Amino acid sequence: MADIIKLVTSESVTEGHPDKVCDQIADAILDELLAQDKNARSAVEVCATTGLVFVMGEVTAEAYVDVQGVARRVVNDIGYNRGKIGFDADNLAVMVALDEQSSDIALGVDHDGAGDQGMMFGYASNETAEYMPLSISLAHKLTKRLTDVRKSGMVDYLRPDGKSQVTVEYVNGKVNRIDNVVISTQHNDNVSMEELKNFIIENVIKYVIPANLLDDKTVFYVNPTGRFVIGGPKGDTGLTGRKIIVDTYGGVAHHGGGAFSGKDPTKVDRSAAYMARYIAKNVVAAGMADKCEVSLSYAIGVAKPTSIGVNTFGTNKIAEEKIQKAIEENFNLTPKGIIDTFDLRRPIYRATSNYGHFGRDGFPWEKLDKVEVLKKYC
């Protein structure tokens, strides 16, 4: 029987990507609100273009936030701090249009119901140590490395905007090799493409990707257009919530209808997606399945989910019905229960807005503290 060969591709972007600039500003504002008022409600959206950041949305909180100051601080931290780059923290116009949350929406949330309807998904796979798909795991590590070498001063020609893309080849469902890698990085006018390409291959790609996954057929694409001087919000308008697949599982698993950044934890778009990931990761770590996707859905103002779903893609070791029963018996899936489980009313959100919300140490939804309980169902 012939081998079944499948290619899976995922992408990531650096913190200087225009959409990620916006995500970081939105989550930095949320952190400032929660630092002053743990019950703050926030649905902040950000748009960025040449010389301008526009902050809009709804906020209800007993707090004062210098929104302009937060936006400029984030932009400066990223590395947009010189006019020559085309987007400069010191010469940035910040427009603000924030209103209070709708009292109609608040009626449901005030009684511990969901802040909106919708469906959320969480996923885990045992193909990596962090229980993430290999393609998105490597893509994030590449963009993080790209940022690290820039900020370390290893070279002086890299600029904040950048992207990665990784295509993994599977044979009969198992990781076989890396088929191709794409890195696009903003740079100054002075570096030659040959120097840039050699540096990226040796100090970013080969630094991150295990040598046993690369072979003489692996293709490296570095700045395929040959030039990437104009970047960031000067090169392309940025917007919050436009990198939702980068934020989650790289296209390997489903994504619900909502984005994350700028939203407080009463928004199940965010908090229930964190819970679904927590459940899926613990299910896989407990040996119930090699892969697991958990789906949750909610109705506005209603505390309990309207549906719970489990898909193990045929890798389950026990019946999926038994896995679902274990989930229902051991996880509090109400919005209040999720908030309490992860202690979400605190300023932890800006750290999530780069390099993925999942598969990284330090976030409470990445804990494996339900493994022993779930093993009993096996």
Side-chain angles (χ1 to χ4, degrees), residues 312-323:
T312 59
F313 308 94
T315 68
N316 50 306
K317 313 305 179 185
I318 63 173
E320 287 184 348
E321 294 81 3
K322 197 170 183 179
I323 297 174

Side-chain angles (χ1 to χ4, degrees), residues 235-251:
D236 189 12
T237 299
L239 189 66
T240 45
R242 202 157 55 181
K243 285 292 176 283
I244 55 177
I245 300 303
V246 171
D247 286 342
T248 53
Y249 307 101

Side-chain angles (χ1 to χ4, degrees), residues 94-334:
V94 181
M95 300 178 65
V96 182
L98 295 173
D99 205 347
E100 287 189 342
Q101 182 185 56
S102 163
S103 57
D104 296 337
I105 294 174
L107 285 173
V109 180
D110 289 343
H111 295 90
D112 298 325
D116 202 351
Q117 69 178 40
M119 65 285 190
M120 300 84 210
F121 295 89
Y123 178 83
S125 166
N126 62 9
E127 69 183 60
T128 62
E130 57 268 33
Y131 295 91
M132 290 289 284
L134 180 62
S135 53
I136 190 65
S137 176
L138 291 177
H140 283 319
K141 289 174 182 177
L142 287 168
T143 51
K144 181 63 166 63
R145 174 63 178 172
L146 192 57
T147 295
D148 288 345
V149 298
R150 172 178 63 86
K151 288 189 169 181
S152 72
M154 186 181 295
V155 291
D156 62 1
Y157 48 75
L158 296 180
R159 288 178 174 174
D161 198 356
K163 293 183 175 183
S164 71
Q165 185 171 282
V166 177
T167 299
V168 179
E169 180 185 277
Y170 291 78
V171 176
N172 301 325
K174 301 294 183 182
V175 172
N176 184 46
R177 56 184 288 275
I178 303 301
D179 185 79
N180 64 80
V181 180
V182 183
I183 298 285
S184 294
T185 180
Q186 188 184 13
H187 58 86
N188 69 19
D189 247 333
N190 301 323
V191 65
S192 70
M193 287 302 102
E194 181 180 6
E195 180 183 356
L196 177 68
K197 184 173 182 177
N198 289 338
F199 177 82
I200 295 299
I201 291 173
E202 295 300 323
N203 295 282
V204 177
I205 297 175
K206 291 184 177 179
Y207 181 91
V208 167
I209 299 179
N212 66 303
L213 294 178
L214 302 173
D215 58 29
D216 57 2
K217 294 182 180 179
T218 302
V219 179
F220 300 143
Y221 298 96
V222 178
N223 283 27
T225 64
R227 178 180 168 90
F228 187 3
V229 173
I230 300 172
K234 179 177 174 62
D236 189 12
T237 299
L239 189 66
T240 45
R242 202 157 55 181
K243 285 292 176 283
I244 55 177
I245 300 303
V246 171
D247 286 342
T248 53
Y249 307 101
V252 174
H254 288 92
H255 192 288
F260 300 157
S261 289
K263 297 178 181 177
D264 74 84
T266 67
K267 312 308 192 277
V268 284
D269 281 342
R270 184 172 211 163
S271 54
Y274 292 168
M275 175 56 79
R277 160 63 178 176
Y278 175 60
I279 296 169
K281 185 176 180 181
N282 277 269
V283 164
V284 172
M288 291 177 151
D290 295 333
K291 299 177 182 178
C292 182
E293 182 181 80
V294 174
S295 61
L296 303 171
S297 68
Y298 291 83
I300 188 168
V302 179
K304 291 186 177 180
T306 55
S307 70
I308 303 170
V310 175
N311 184 359
T312 59
F313 308 94
T315 68
N316 50 306
K317 313 305 179 185
I318 63 173
E320 287 184 348
E321 294 81 3
K322 197 170 183 179
I323 297 174
Q324 183 165 331
K325 181 182 178 182
I327 292 169
E328 293 170 350
E329 292 178 350
N330 292 281
F331 297 88
N332 190 336
L333 302 179
T334 68

